[in-house]
Amino acid sequence: MKQFKVYGSGCSNCVKTAELIAQAAAEQGEEIALEKVTDMKSIALAGVMKTPGVGLDGRIIHFGSVPTPELVRSWFA
């Protein structure tokens, strides 16, 4: 099971990012764990300098914008 974390304050871009990940997982038939990290200290410690950020299995794979649906789908390849 893939472990995703969405880093951000809970803004609309962060919510959209989490929705895109959940939707792509459902389309692929993948079971995932999806956690939203809103604590600013935790976000900074993870190395996310601009939100929203996305972590996958313990490493940051995207930050600074809402990822495209195509990019999100590639995380399940």
Side-chain angles (χ1 to χ4, degrees):
M1 178 183 336
K2 295 183 182 206
Q3 306 281 326
F4 283 93
K5 290 186 181 182
V6 176
Y7 295 88
S9 64
C11 67
S12 62
N13 286 341
C14 301
V15 171
K16 179 67 175 170
T17 298
E19 289 172 352
L20 285 170
I21 293 168
Q23 180 180 5
E27 289 172 359
Q28 298 290 325
E30 295 248 5
E31 188 174 332
I32 64 168
L34 180 59
E35 178 184 350
K36 296 176 185 173
V37 179
T38 58
D39 176 64
M40 292 313 241
K41 184 176 180 181
S42 297
I43 293 169
L45 287 173
V48 175
M49 304 316 269
K50 287 185 171 184
T51 61
V54 178
L56 172 58
D57 295 334
R59 67 183 172 92
I60 302 301
I61 58 171
H62 182 84
F63 65 88
S65 65
V66 175
T68 64
E70 294 79 20
L71 178 59
V72 174
R73 283 192 293 272
S74 77
W75 299 335
F76 293 93

